[in-house]
Amino acid sequence: MADLIVEPIVTTGPIAGSTKIYRDLDDGARVPFRRVGLAGDEYLDLYDTSGPYTDAHAVIDLHAGLPARPGVVADRGTQLQRARAGEITAEMAFIAVREGVPADLVRDEVARGRAVIPANHRHPESEPMIIGKAFAVKVNANIGNSAVTSSIGEEVDKMVWATRWGADTIMDLSTGADIHATREWILRNSPVPVGTVPMYQALEKVKGDPTQMSWEIYRDTVIEQCEQGVDYMTVHAGVLMRHIPLTVKRVTGIVSRGGSIMAAWCLAHHRESFLYTNFEELCTILARYDVTFSLGDGLRPGSIADANDAAQFAELATLGELTKVAKAAGVQVMIEGPGHVPMHKIVENVRLEEELCEEAPFYTLGPLATDIAPGYDHITSAIGAAIIAQAGTAMLCYVTPKEHLGLPNRKDVKDGVIAYKIAAHAADLAKGHPRAQERDDALSRARFDFRWHDQFALSLDPDTAREFHDETLPAEPAKTAHFCSMCGPKFCSMRITQDIRDAMAAKSEEFAAHGNRVYIPLENSVP
Amino acid sequence: MADLIVEPIVTTGPIAGSTKIYRDLDDGARVPFRRVGLAGDEYLDLYDTSGPYTDAHAVIDLHAGLPARPGVVADRGTQLQRARAGEITAEMAFIAVREGVPADLVRDEVARGRAVIPANHRHPESEPMIIGKAFAVKVNANIGNSAVTSSIGEEVDKMVWATRWGADTIMDLSTGADIHATREWILRNSPVPVGTVPMYQALEKVKGDPTQMSWEIYRDTVIEQCEQGVDYMTVHAGVLMRHIPLTVKRVTGIVSRGGSIMAAWCLAHHRESFLYTNFEELCTILARYDVTFSLGDGLRPGSIADANDAAQFAELATLGELTKVAKAAGVQVMIEGPGHVPMHKIVENVRLEEELCEEAPFYTLGPLATDIAPGYDHITSAIGAAIIAQAGTAMLCYVTPKEHLGLPNRKDVKDGVIAYKIAAHAADLAKGHPRAQERDDALSRARFDFRWHDQFALSLDPDTAREFHDETLPAEPAKTAHFCSMCGPKFCSMRITQDIRDAMAAKSEEFAAHGNRVYIPLENSVP
């Protein structure tokens, strides 16, 4: 693939307690699920983002890349254009089975622009997925090296690792050496859509000086990445000259790299952003490959103090204009959101985004609900992420414990993904997603029955759940014991509850035998 | 203190970047603060729960215990009674300085029963604090050994460790051997109020058989703990016979240990709960020491499926009745809350608690917003905790990563406390607590200025923030470098923003020099 010597080592094999199964479609496509085996030949099938890597029977050859899926059509326009024409594409059919919803719903949401299917014709290794508020909330994991750390092998490993734990898309945010080669390795081996910020590579081409950037250099970078198979691209086209003065009195100014680069360019050249003035040409390029716009919030708040300010919402209004332009050109669009926002200001972001951007899928970075916990920003932001997803955000960009401090390593990637799967699932529950609570109920039943193996297998991270349990009770009999180390055998409330149920059942029989006279008053009057 | 050989080792010394300071009161009491030193002789004083252990000048003798504070009055009734009489007690004066609010507010909230000051006359080692929705949201950390693991020394260490990271109260939930001695070590060395669940010790006295429990054994245990200095007690007096059938069809039955014990007792004896029938006598005992009731939710939901059900809310109505009884007897009361609750059902819990329990402080365990992440329940529950605290919960009982799996070790205690400090602070921000945002703003300014040392010192966990930063850039010059390992030197948005500000300032001067003609349209029309 490249003349570098790259020998990535990635994690393969099923997640503990699960096997990979597929539902076969007529066109030869196979929709993957993670089947959790439970006691008594029961099972629960879960949405599965991990690709062939968790299939015990798959042969993985990272140098060859993943096999292409069938059904990719390159010459009939974008998913948006085809949805508008009434077509249910191969990708939509795949997604309908994957999400457990009617294919019509998938098509209609895409046609309305309320959902996107990021699927570059040139990335056939990816399994189709959808981002939209009518579907399960999705999670993106950022990876990528910088000038200071990391290697291609590590980034491929992180990509596989992130999807193993549930990342629905990956963004390759590499800014260091070998950007093209890194992306090639990631794309050819990624079972999920890959997003980028083309500006980062373009800036490398001008040796990091934003003032030397030009539309031509940027455009050529976009084409290079479209050709390679990138599925969605962050474009900070909403940072306009008139917005820049609005940021001057902020506590943390402009924290988006793309936003700050464009602001610096505008000021240096005394000209309006070339992304804004050339936006229609950009649409033409993206439409050719069906690459989805992720309109970046270059002026997102970088601190609690700057949340929901004039700069942020002025840019959002511009993103609304651009959404209409993109959709008119048949290009799929989603909108990026903050950042750092205190809890009471979160919902307003969704309301305004939906109003200004015609309900295009919202894709937010957290937001962090406080600034005071560097080292724990996967948690500060999981709080904000759960709330913003409940309000309608379609995809959450994870934040790792290293946010603000350094580049995430493998452990950070997993911690970030798990924290965000929690936030996304909590939101699915709160939104009443039809299949979300099945998993909670199955796990809680296993917990109540002391089926420890089932409890581990149903959890987001079976390895850690089992490891924590085994710290105090490692012996195999403890996996079926009707107690745990928290209370010990005598105090177990679950065991006592079972005794109570048995007693109540016995009472019931006695009650029936004695002519059904009431022995416990049931005068509860509270709902 | 006890005839066991106990040699606890605890963590002492200031938190990195901070020093302990005191504001002296007229009665000789000293109100502690953590003073964070910042660049340029600036500083920020923070609420400090850690007691003398973080005072570089304190001499710690665990065998002797902490010194008693002045101002403790044992013969003039409870804080509630004295507040009703219009008195501003020594504890209220201390709290007013500590919280930065008028002493009148402290007294009035206590008099209304909307806040409690858990301060047993026999626990003078504790620094007064308040739990109520008009004040900063508080965090409790549970510690305590079980029949399976741990020792007294470890529990004392966990107590000091938890308060170091911000635990406002400690609950000693020991259920194993040496319960009295463990509690004695904790009480004599705890700078924060200590809570217990007396039923756990009472049950040890009947060798763990709930059916052998009696009012007399329970009452004597309560008196023993009152004498020892316990500040608040969880009493599951709301589990009535008529509630028990409501739990039978639940997914997870009764998950509270106290609740299941009382339900088992009621069924075995065919009698109403002795906690309920003897509640007035219990009030008389607690009033004598000014021990605060924490009315336990013995029927709290243990799974998403069981949230907000008839059993839970029937018990809450009973807790409302008991609140009135306790307050009539002059006893301070708070109310415990769930548990496991999906996000969309959280706020209803607060609304109903306030309605039924006269706005007595709500004290909730999480709640967990999903069941599917054992191993990460500090995160699933921090989401719920932040939301429920924003809605008015006064104190949050932490959940550690070991929840459902095992007893927390030292690392788990810290992870739980930090996750809950995040949730509590996020809620303080959302509620507009007057001093909350100061810390966010100070940290974000430090971040923008690349004052790394200040950023670490202002964070909830300076050690981890620094360690994460140093993983990639360990050298001292990197602590003042105007970039970090995330983007490297070329891409730094913060640096570019500074350039933009400089350019804007230059433009401003140029603009003024040219007669103030507008060069950038400022037609932004979005709020």
Side-chain angles (χ1 to χ4, degrees):
Chain A
M1 274 184 196
D3 52 1
L4 297 155
I5 297 170
V6 179
E7 289 295 345
I9 298 172
V10 301
T11 304
T12 59
I15 289 174
S18 292
T19 51
K20 180 82 124 193
I21 63 134
Y22 298 92
R23 293 192 202 147
D24 294 337
L25 304 188
D26 290 345
D27 65 356
R30 310 175 75 202
V31 184
F33 291 90
R34 170 180 158 201
R35 173 162 290 181
V36 183
L38 303 173
D41 288 333
E42 300 283 314
Y43 61 83
L44 186 70
D45 289 343
L46 301 175
Y47 192 106
D48 185 349
T49 60
S50 58
Y53 302 99
T54 52
D55 184 340
H57 307 292
V59 177
I60 303 295
D61 179 347
L62 295 167
H63 289 267
L66 296 175
R69 70 183 156 81
V72 177
V73 175
D75 57 358
R76 285 174 42 204
T78 68
Q79 297 287 335
L80 174 58
Q81 291 163 332
R82 294 165 72 188
R84 283 173 180 159
E87 185 184 353
I88 291 174
T89 64
E91 290 77 12
M92 295 174 199
F94 188 104
I95 287 163
V97 173
R98 199 170 195 191
E99 297 262 350
V101 298
D104 288 4
L105 176 70
V106 175
R107 180 196 58 204
D108 294 349
E109 290 290 304
V110 172
R112 285 179 63 178
R114 299 211 317 174
V116 296
I117 298 173
N120 185 330
H121 308 142
R122 300 178 77 90
H123 186 207
E125 298 88 350
S126 171
E127 294 167 334
M129 55 79 71
I130 194 162
I131 302 165
K133 68 175 173 177
F135 308 96
V137 174
K138 302 304 188 293
V139 171
N140 170 68
N142 290 338
I143 59 170
N145 53 19
S146 82
V148 179
T149 60
S150 195
S151 71
I152 291 179
E154 284 174 72
E155 298 309 317
V156 173
D157 173 42
K158 281 187 205 167
M159 177 274 289
V160 173
W161 188 236
T163 60
R164 180 179 184 86
W165 300 114
D168 294 283
T169 76
I170 290 290
M171 288 195 81
D172 174 15
L173 302 186
S174 293
T175 57
D178 306 318
I179 291 183
H180 186 98
T182 303
R183 195 169 53 235
E184 185 67 15
W185 274 93
I186 290 171
L187 277 164
R188 300 289 75 82
N189 289 292
S190 175
V192 301
V194 174
T196 60
V197 186
M199 181 61 78
Y200 296 172
Q201 185 182 9
L203 196 63
E204 291 288 345
K205 295 179 181 175
V206 293
K207 301 191 168 47
D209 180 353
T211 65
Q212 298 303 306
M213 182 56 55
S214 70
W215 160 244
E216 290 72 22
I217 290 169
Y218 181 85
R219 180 196 59 202
D220 292 350
T221 308
V222 166
I223 293 171
E224 171 191 336
Q225 298 196 6
C226 286
E227 284 283 325
Q228 214 175 358
V230 169
D231 299 287
Y232 66 91
M233 294 182 185
T234 297
V235 180
H236 296 98
V239 180
L240 302 187
M241 289 189 76
R242 66 173 183 266
H243 302 151
I244 301 171
L246 301 175
T247 68
V248 171
K249 293 199 171 154
R250 281 180 155 187
V251 167
T252 46
I254 303 177
V255 295
S256 150
R257 281 182 267 174
S260 62
I261 291 164
M262 287 315 301
W265 186 91
C266 289
L267 282 186
H269 293 270
H270 286 262
R271 287 168 54 196
E272 194 51 280
S273 160
F274 61 77
L275 296 175
Y276 183 79
T277 56
N278 293 284
F279 192 73
E280 292 191 349
E281 187 176 344
L282 213 44
C283 290
T284 308
I285 298 167
L286 266 59
R288 200 179 307 145
Y289 303 85
D290 199 2
V291 171
T292 299
F293 271 117
S294 186
L295 293 179
D297 53 337
L299 303 181
R300 69 170 177 269
S303 55
I304 291 295
D306 296 343
N308 292 21
D309 74 352
Q312 183 195 339
F313 286 157
E315 182 189 30
L316 186 57
T318 303
L319 298 185
E321 289 173 34
L322 297 173
T323 300
K324 293 180 183 67
V325 175
K327 283 163 73 176
V331 185
Q332 303 187 89
V333 189
M334 53 185 173
I335 306 293
E336 296 186 10
H340 293 237
V341 185
M343 287 197 289
H344 63 300
K345 293 187 177 177
I346 288 176
V347 172
E348 173 71 359
N349 279 274
V350 180
R351 198 198 59 72
L352 207 54
E353 189 271 347
E354 294 191 343
E355 178 188 318
L356 294 170
C357 304
E358 300 183 336
E359 298 182 88
F362 204 22
Y363 167 32
T364 62
L365 178 67
L368 283 68
T370 169
D371 304 341
I372 69 166
Y376 299 83
D377 279 333
H378 59 314
I379 301 178
T380 63
S381 67
I383 293 169
I387 295 170
I388 208 164
Q390 180 185 12
T393 288
M395 184 157 76
L396 302 169
C397 182
Y398 85 172
V399 171
T400 79
K402 286 284 166 59
E403 184 74 17
H404 299 116
L405 298 169
L407 272 190
N409 60 25
R410 202 168 190 277
K411 177 179 189 310
D412 300 318
V413 166
K414 180 175 174 183
D415 283 346
V417 170
I418 298 284
Y420 273 69
K421 294 302 281 187
I422 290 169
H425 187 78
D428 284 341
L429 284 176
K431 289 167 68 179
H433 186 282
R435 297 198 310 191
Q437 202 181 319
E438 283 178 13
R439 187 170 179 182
D440 296 74
D441 291 353
L443 190 145
S444 289
R445 270 187 229 105
R447 180 172 281 158
F448 187 74
D449 294 344
F450 290 98
R451 286 182 274 118
W452 288 100
H453 286 299
D454 289 357
Q455 190 184 158
F456 302 153
L458 286 160
S459 68
L460 281 178
D461 177 2
D463 301 343
T464 296
R466 184 185 176 115
E467 181 194 315
F468 282 5
H469 173 270
D470 288 1
E471 265 182 38
T472 38
L473 293 172
E476 182 58 28
K479 302 293 193 310
T480 51
H482 277 205
F483 65 93
C484 66
S485 66
M486 285 173 288
C487 310
K490 285 194 302 191
F491 278 85
C492 177
S493 61
M494 300 249 187
R495 187 182 55 72
I496 294 174
T497 297
Q498 194 53 53
D499 294 346
I500 291 169
R501 288 187 179 179
D502 295 345
M504 294 292 294
K507 269 289 142 212
S508 249
E509 285 171 27
E510 190 190 320
F511 177 57
H514 286 78
N516 286 339
R517 285 180 313 239
V518 172
Y519 77 101
I520 293 177
L522 273 160
E523 65 223 17
N524 160 50
S525 61
V526 176
Chain B
M1 275 184 196
D3 53 358
L4 297 155
I5 298 169
V6 180
E7 290 295 344
I9 298 171
V10 301
T11 304
T12 59
I15 289 174
S18 292
T19 51
K20 178 83 121 194
I21 63 133
Y22 299 92
R23 293 192 202 146
D24 295 337
L25 303 188
D26 290 343
D27 65 357
R30 310 175 75 201
V31 184
F33 291 90
R34 170 180 159 200
R35 175 161 290 180
V36 183
L38 303 174
D41 288 332
E42 300 282 315
Y43 61 83
L44 186 69
D45 290 343
L46 301 175
Y47 192 106
D48 184 349
T49 60
S50 58
Y53 301 99
T54 52
D55 183 340
H57 306 292
V59 177
I60 303 295
D61 178 347
L62 296 167
H63 289 267
L66 297 176
R69 70 183 157 79
V72 177
V73 175
D75 57 358
R76 286 175 40 204
T78 69
Q79 297 287 334
L80 173 58
Q81 291 165 330
R82 294 164 73 186
R84 283 174 180 159
E87 186 184 351
I88 290 173
T89 64
E91 290 78 12
M92 295 172 196
F94 189 104
I95 287 162
V97 173
R98 200 170 193 189
E99 296 263 350
V101 299
D104 288 3
L105 177 70
V106 175
R107 181 196 56 205
D108 294 349
E109 291 290 306
V110 172
R112 285 181 62 178
R114 299 210 320 173
V116 295
I117 298 174
N120 185 330
H121 307 142
R122 301 177 77 89
H123 186 207
E125 298 88 350
S126 170
E127 294 168 335
M129 55 80 69
I130 194 163
I131 302 165
K133 69 176 175 177
F135 308 97
V137 174
K138 303 303 187 296
V139 171
N140 170 68
N142 291 338
I143 59 169
N145 51 22
S146 81
V148 179
T149 60
S150 194
S151 71
I152 291 179
E154 283 175 72
E155 298 310 317
V156 173
D157 174 42
K158 282 186 205 168
M159 177 275 290
V160 173
W161 187 238
T163 60
R164 181 179 182 86
W165 299 114
D168 293 282
T169 75
I170 290 289
M171 286 195 84
D172 173 15
L173 302 186
S174 293
T175 57
D178 306 317
I179 292 184
H180 186 98
T182 303
R183 195 170 53 234
E184 185 67 15
W185 275 93
I186 290 171
L187 277 164
R188 299 290 76 82
N189 289 292
S190 175
V192 301
V194 174
T196 60
V197 186
M199 183 61 79
Y200 296 172
Q201 185 182 8
L203 196 63
E204 292 288 344
K205 295 180 181 175
V206 293
K207 301 193 167 47
D209 180 353
T211 65
Q212 298 303 307
M213 182 56 54
S214 70
W215 160 243
E216 289 72 23
I217 291 169
Y218 182 84
R219 179 196 59 201
D220 292 350
T221 307
V222 166
I223 293 171
E224 172 191 337
Q225 298 196 6
C226 284
E227 284 284 324
Q228 214 176 358
V230 169
D231 299 286
Y232 65 92
M233 294 183 185
T234 298
V235 179
H236 296 98
V239 179
L240 301 187
M241 289 188 76
R242 67 172 183 267
H243 302 152
I244 301 171
L246 301 175
T247 68
V248 170
K249 293 200 171 153
R250 281 179 155 186
V251 167
T252 46
I254 302 178
V255 296
S256 151
R257 283 181 266 172
S260 61
I261 291 164
M262 288 314 302
W265 187 91
C266 289
L267 283 187
H269 294 270
H270 286 264
R271 286 168 55 196
E272 192 51 281
S273 160
F274 61 77
L275 297 175
Y276 184 78
T277 57
N278 293 284
F279 193 73
E280 292 191 350
E281 187 177 344
L282 213 45
C283 291
T284 308
I285 298 166
L286 266 59
R288 200 178 308 147
Y289 303 86
D290 200 2
V291 171
T292 300
F293 271 118
S294 186
L295 293 179
D297 53 337
L299 304 181
R300 68 171 177 269
S303 56
I304 290 296
D306 296 343
N308 293 22
D309 74 351
Q312 183 194 341
F313 287 158
E315 181 189 30
L316 186 57
T318 303
L319 299 185
E321 287 172 35
L322 296 172
T323 300
K324 293 180 184 66
V325 175
K327 283 164 71 177
V331 185
Q332 304 187 87
V333 190
M334 54 185 174
I335 306 293
E336 295 186 10
H340 293 237
V341 185
M343 286 196 288
H344 63 300
K345 293 186 177 178
I346 288 176
V347 172
E348 172 71 359
N349 280 272
V350 181
R351 197 198 60 71
L352 207 53
E353 188 273 344
E354 294 192 341
E355 179 187 319
L356 294 170
C357 304
E358 301 183 336
E359 297 183 89
F362 205 21
Y363 168 31
T364 62
L365 178 68
L368 284 69
T370 168
D371 304 340
I372 69 166
Y376 299 82
D377 279 332
H378 60 313
I379 301 178
T380 63
S381 66
I383 292 169
I387 295 170
I388 208 163
Q390 180 185 12
T393 289
M395 184 156 78
L396 303 169
C397 183
Y398 84 172
V399 171
T400 79
K402 286 284 166 57
E403 184 74 16
H404 300 115
L405 299 169
L407 272 190
N409 60 24
R410 204 169 190 275
K411 178 179 187 308
D412 300 317
V413 166
K414 180 174 174 182
D415 283 346
V417 170
I418 299 284
Y420 272 69
K421 295 302 281 188
I422 289 169
H425 187 79
D428 284 340
L429 284 176
K431 289 167 70 180
H433 186 283
R435 297 196 311 192
Q437 201 180 320
E438 284 178 13
R439 187 169 178 180
D440 296 74
D441 292 353
L443 191 145
S444 289
R445 271 187 228 106
R447 182 172 279 158
F448 186 75
D449 293 345
F450 291 97
R451 287 182 275 117
W452 288 99
H453 286 298
D454 289 357
Q455 190 184 158
F456 301 153
L458 286 160
S459 67
L460 282 178
D461 177 3
D463 302 343
T464 297
R466 184 185 175 117
E467 180 195 315
F468 282 5
H469 174 270
D470 288 1
E471 264 182 37
T472 37
L473 291 172
E476 182 57 30
K479 302 290 192 313
T480 51
H482 277 204
F483 64 94
C484 65
S485 64
M486 285 173 288
C487 310
K490 283 194 304 192
F491 278 84
C492 178
S493 61
M494 300 251 185
R495 189 183 55 70
I496 294 173
T497 298
Q498 194 51 55
D499 293 347
I500 291 168
R501 288 188 179 178
D502 296 345
M504 293 293 294
K507 267 290 141 213
S508 253
E509 286 171 27
E510 188 189 321
F511 178 55
H514 287 77
N516 287 339
R517 283 179 314 236
V518 172
Y519 79 99
I520 294 178
L522 273 161
E523 66 222 20
N524 160 50
S525 60
V526 176

